[in-house]
Amino acid sequence: MTLSAQTLPLVKNPERLENRLGEIPAEPGVYLMRDGSDRIIYIGKSRKLRSRVRSYFRDSTNKTERINTMVKLVTEIEFIVTDTEVEALALEANLIKQHQPYFNVLLKDDKKYPYLCITWSEDYPRIFITRKRQLGKAKDKYYGPYTDSGLLREIVHLCKRIFPLRQRPQPLFKDRTCLNYDIGRCPGVCQKLVSTEEYRKIVQKVAMVFQGRSQELIDILTAQMQTAAEELNFETAARVRDQITGLKSLNAQQKVSLPDDTVSRDAIALAADDQHACIQLFQIRAGQLVGRLGFVADAHAEPGAILQRVLEEHYQTAESVEIPTEILVQHELTDGEILTDILTQRKGKKVTILAPLRQTKAELIEMVERNAQYELQRMQKLGNSNLQATQDLAAILDLPDLPQRIEGYDISHIQGSNAVASQVVFIDGLPAKQYYRHYKIKNPNITIGHSDDFASLAEVIQRRFRKYIENPKLSRIDNPDWPDLIMIDGGKGQLSSVVAILQEMHLLADLRVVSLAKKREEIFLPDSSQPLKTDAEQPGVQLLRRLRDEAHRFAVSFHRQQRSDKLKRSRLDEIPGLGQHRQKLLLAHFRSVDYIREANPAQLAEVSGIGTHLAQEIYNYFHPS
């Protein structure tokens, strides 16, 4: 079998390579490199596409082994021309997130570090901590990721004491404020006692804290306090004074010793092993450390490329006031000039990126690197513990390889009512929540007073793997969705029901299934009536216990949600013409059946999909007299 000219690597077809390079313009843009399978393996940007792409195919002695390997695989080069380097940077970031090319530096969103989110997309913005950064709403702002989650929670708690902010995600009462309003902790958002403009001004003050502009905020509040005092508005002056005192206590942290404490700086460094790179970014404003952010990336790229990718990702959504005038880096960046020009343009003043070699700034980089090393050691320790657990589990079950992907299943119900199931996934011994899944049991024989965990588990397993039966061409080899091990919560009976359905589907030979009984933490295998002889405290059994407990937690939480929704809808089901969709609209608007009962027909008719006639029917149901 011979490769065609189109699938032959470009380095082995000089004529086609030269023709392709000649077609690439000398303009800013993004280039995409594909391999023989038409997969995108690398995405890059440049202010001059032609010279950048051509540089990959020159003498390989000055290139890293990773780049040399990539170049040997390239069979096609595509490009997208942009008007500016700024557009190229944004386009490259979006394409990398979409395609996840193997040879690019990929930041890991492993939920390790939390973010602070401010929902500017809402009239009354919320402020909360999250470990999941969702970019669906462009106006929402995320700060972080912060390495010290405890300190982040403390700062948010203090901000809610310093400034009057909404304290609850949902109102406690429908027609009146709660105690937080009476004690001055909330401006009455639930009853709209504060305008959206005034409330957003309050939230903007909190945003300044997380932008490292606390001193600027203190100066603004000091001027407001003095103005209020001059106007004899002593109550307002006292309230602002308390806010200033709170902010000063918030900023009572150790200063970083630098000769010029008027310059805002970011300092970034990394520590890496063969697999991971832990990156730390210190934010220093007015000589004070105001933030310490952490990132994790694959370590197969050179350090300068990793730092470049982190800084691009971090500053992509930053406001101009958040961009420092000086960025200290541990290693020279691969595209430092482009990033410098873009940040200078966005900030409106000169931004400098430099790798200090001596004196105080170099010592600062060393301090950041030490912190990155500590984070790497923590990750290595956790990784070694998980590796030991998977190795022990492989030995217990006599598996040919380490179980990378393990799936756990559990059933939850109350005497058959609202029966649900959970599927949780551990990868390399850690929860992979993006692969978790809920199931509502559809078996018509499972009703209130009649439960059947065996049949429920069989149903769930059949639904989980039926796509491999419906599509026989779907590969099970090297498929990331294919589990190395399945764990069923229960004893021999639960396991037997799963084994029977897998035999019926002709999948048992390709799947390894075990069950873990709760009482004695006993492991059962399909072909044995007796449990394995194991110690409940050995690492492999503990890994299965963590998986089992997580599957149970996930199933119970979903079951409670289903029960709660059913209780909410139980009375609404009796109203003629009010289907499930309109019930959801009503509950989303009024939050509870009690509020729906108190509403008059005009208020009910305000809900989308509820006309005047149906509104009157709902009102008559709750007020039959």
Side-chain angles (χ1 to χ4, degrees):
M1 178 178 178
T2 59
L3 295 174
S4 66
Q6 296 297 321
T7 58
L8 195 68
L10 290 175
V11 292
K12 295 185 178 180
N13 193 338
E15 182 179 352
R16 182 166 173 263
L17 171 61
E18 193 59 36
N19 291 336
R20 190 58 178 145
L21 293 176
E23 296 170 353
I24 300 176
E27 296 184 39
V30 173
Y31 54 92
L32 303 88
M33 296 186 176
R34 296 181 179 270
D35 64 5
S37 301
D38 201 38
R39 293 176 301 183
I40 297 176
I41 59 175
Y42 189 77
I43 298 173
K45 65 181 176 306
S46 177
R47 62 176 61 185
K48 293 183 179 179
L49 283 170
R50 180 184 300 165
S51 57
R52 169 58 60 86
V53 176
R54 188 178 289 275
S55 67
Y56 286 99
F57 298 92
R58 294 191 184 124
D59 185 10
S60 62
T61 55
N62 294 326
K63 298 185 182 67
T64 65
E65 182 179 351
R66 181 181 69 95
I67 295 298
N68 286 329
T69 302
M70 180 198 73
V71 169
K72 294 175 183 178
L73 299 174
V74 176
T75 61
E76 184 56 88
I77 304 171
E78 299 175 4
F79 60 87
I80 302 173
V81 175
T82 60
D83 291 332
T84 64
E85 292 96 338
V86 177
E87 293 178 1
L89 175 63
L91 179 60
E92 179 203 35
N94 291 335
L95 291 174
I96 289 175
K97 290 177 183 176
Q98 178 183 350
H99 297 286
Q100 299 282 295
Y102 177 78
F103 287 96
N104 278 96
V105 176
L106 302 177
L107 300 184
K108 292 183 174 294
D109 183 18
D110 63 348
K111 316 297 187 297
K112 182 177 181 182
Y113 302 121
Y115 294 85
L116 178 96
C117 178
I118 301 180
T119 58
W120 291 109
S121 59
E122 301 176 2
D123 292 338
Y124 293 93
R126 291 175 295 124
I127 301 173
F128 60 91
I129 297 172
T130 179
R131 291 183 184 270
K132 189 174 184 180
R133 186 180 181 187
Q134 297 177 332
L135 302 178
K137 297 180 180 178
K139 292 184 179 180
D140 290 351
K141 178 66 178 177
Y142 288 84
Y143 298 94
Y146 292 95
T147 57
D148 192 336
S149 58
L151 179 60
L152 176 60
R153 290 189 181 91
E154 181 181 348
I155 293 174
V156 172
H157 176 71
L158 287 173
C159 284
K160 288 186 176 182
R161 293 177 64 90
I162 295 170
F163 302 104
L165 296 166
R166 61 186 295 182
Q167 303 290 327
R168 295 176 176 274
Q170 300 295 341
L172 186 61
F173 306 106
K174 180 187 175 183
D175 54 355
R176 61 186 175 90
T177 57
C178 64
L179 182 63
N180 287 310
Y181 175 76
D182 298 327
I183 63 177
R185 293 281 179 84
C186 174
V189 172
C190 62
Q191 302 302 317
K192 298 185 178 179
L193 300 180
V194 58
S195 67
T196 57
E197 294 78 11
E198 288 300 317
Y199 187 73
R200 293 172 80 88
K201 289 179 182 178
I202 298 174
V203 176
Q204 184 58 55
K205 294 176 182 178
V206 178
M208 291 178 70
V209 174
F210 290 93
Q211 291 168 350
R213 302 164 60 198
S214 296
Q215 187 56 50
E216 180 183 343
L217 177 58
I218 290 173
D219 295 339
I220 293 172
L221 292 176
T222 301
Q224 292 179 358
M225 179 183 67
Q226 293 172 349
T227 300
E230 291 171 359
E231 296 175 352
L232 304 182
N233 192 346
F234 298 115
E235 183 178 349
T236 301
R239 185 173 64 252
V240 176
R241 177 204 61 201
D242 293 341
Q243 292 176 349
I244 294 172
T245 303
L247 286 170
K248 287 182 178 179
S249 67
L250 190 63
N251 289 339
Q253 302 178 26
Q254 183 178 357
K255 284 182 175 289
V256 178
S257 177
L258 287 174
D260 184 4
D261 62 3
T262 63
V263 178
S264 60
R265 292 182 175 89
D266 280 356
I268 187 170
L270 63 82
D273 57 15
D274 295 337
Q275 293 181 313
H276 302 102
C278 288
I279 305 98
Q280 293 275 293
L281 190 149
F282 279 32
Q283 298 171 305
I284 301 161
R285 305 294 182 265
Q288 191 171 31
L289 180 63
V290 299
R292 183 165 71 96
L293 311 183
F295 307 84
V296 180
D298 290 324
H300 61 252
E302 57 270 23
I306 295 175
L307 297 182
Q308 174 90 26
R309 180 77 180 93
V310 170
L311 291 176
E312 290 174 352
E313 174 82 10
H314 174 63
Y315 293 124
Q316 186 178 19
T317 58
E319 299 178 20
S320 59
V321 294
E322 300 171 33
I323 300 174
T325 55
E326 186 175 88
I327 302 172
L328 306 179
V329 296
Q330 178 189 22
H331 302 278
E332 293 287 349
L333 304 183
T334 53
D335 279 316
E337 291 184 5
I338 291 181
L339 186 59
T340 299
D341 293 344
I342 290 172
L343 295 181
T344 297
Q345 178 183 341
R346 288 182 53 195
K347 187 168 183 63
K349 61 171 64 174
K350 178 65 176 177
V351 174
T352 305
I353 300 178
L354 69 150
L357 300 177
R358 60 177 67 91
Q359 296 181 343
T360 309
K361 294 180 181 179
E363 294 175 358
L364 175 59
I365 287 293
E366 291 177 1
M367 181 182 71
V368 180
E369 182 182 358
R370 285 200 307 274
N371 282 269
Q373 188 66 47
Y374 292 141
E375 286 295 307
L376 180 63
Q377 291 172 0
R378 286 174 54 192
M379 178 175 286
Q380 289 172 337
K381 184 178 180 180
L382 181 61
N384 291 337
S385 175
N386 290 325
L387 177 61
Q388 182 183 4
T390 54
Q391 288 175 336
D392 185 52
L393 184 59
I396 292 172
L397 303 178
D398 193 24
L399 300 176
D401 300 300
L402 295 184
Q404 182 183 26
R405 179 184 175 113
I406 311 175
E407 294 182 358
Y409 294 86
D410 190 19
I411 304 294
S412 182
H413 59 84
I414 294 180
Q415 294 183 345
S417 66
N418 301 112
V420 299
S422 65
Q423 170 194 320
V424 300
V425 180
F426 277 24
I427 294 180
D428 293 331
L430 292 174
K433 295 188 177 181
Q434 65 271 33
Y435 300 118
Y436 283 21
R437 186 175 174 185
H438 287 131
Y439 296 87
K440 293 181 182 178
I441 301 303
K442 300 179 179 179
N443 191 331
N445 296 322
I446 299 176
T447 57
I448 297 176
H450 186 275
S451 62
D452 190 337
D453 287 359
F454 300 164
S456 298
L457 283 168
E459 175 190 328
V460 170
I461 294 298
Q462 183 182 41
R463 289 164 61 184
R464 163 67 176 91
F465 293 100
R466 66 185 174 192
K467 64 182 178 181
Y468 296 96
I469 303 302
E470 296 170 352
N471 185 7
K473 295 183 179 180
L474 196 61
S475 175
R476 305 169 196 169
I477 302 175
D478 297 328
N479 188 338
D481 187 46
W482 189 261
D484 300 306
L485 179 66
I486 293 175
M487 187 222 66
I488 305 299
D489 183 8
K492 189 63 181 176
Q494 284 86 348
L495 179 61
S496 298
S497 64
V498 171
V499 169
I501 193 64
L502 289 176
Q503 285 177 330
E504 183 180 324
M505 300 172 73
H506 305 290
L507 294 177
L508 185 59
D510 299 323
L511 288 168
R512 191 65 186 268
V513 189
V514 300
S515 68
L516 182 65
K518 286 188 176 70
K519 282 189 177 181
R520 300 178 183 176
E521 309 295 358
E522 295 174 327
I523 301 175
F524 287 90
L525 300 179
D527 54 356
S528 176
S529 60
Q530 297 298 319
L532 293 176
K533 294 182 179 180
T534 57
D535 182 355
E537 299 304 318
Q538 66 184 103
V541 179
Q542 287 184 339
L543 175 58
L544 284 185
R545 287 168 60 185
R546 291 198 301 271
L547 181 71
R548 188 268 316 282
D549 293 344
E550 179 69 353
H552 180 71
R553 180 200 65 79
F554 199 51
V556 169
S557 64
F558 185 51
H559 172 68
R560 286 174 178 166
Q561 176 189 331
Q562 295 299 304
R563 256 176 45 216
S564 175
D565 292 345
K566 185 174 181 180
L567 288 172
K568 285 180 181 178
R569 293 195 298 263
S570 59
R571 297 194 65 187
L572 299 179
D573 285 334
E574 301 173 5
I575 303 175
L578 191 62
Q580 295 290 325
H581 177 65
R582 287 174 174 172
Q583 289 180 27
K584 290 180 180 179
L585 293 175
L586 279 171
L587 288 169
H589 183 83
F590 290 102
R591 305 298 178 188
S592 76
V593 175
D594 291 336
Y595 289 160
I596 295 174
R597 183 180 59 247
E598 295 175 7
N600 59 43
Q603 293 171 326
L604 293 168
E606 292 176 358
V607 179
S608 175
I610 307 294
T612 55
H613 177 73
L614 183 55
Q616 190 64 48
E617 289 287 338
I618 298 170
Y619 182 81
N620 292 341
Y621 172 81
F622 287 110
H623 305 84
S625 60

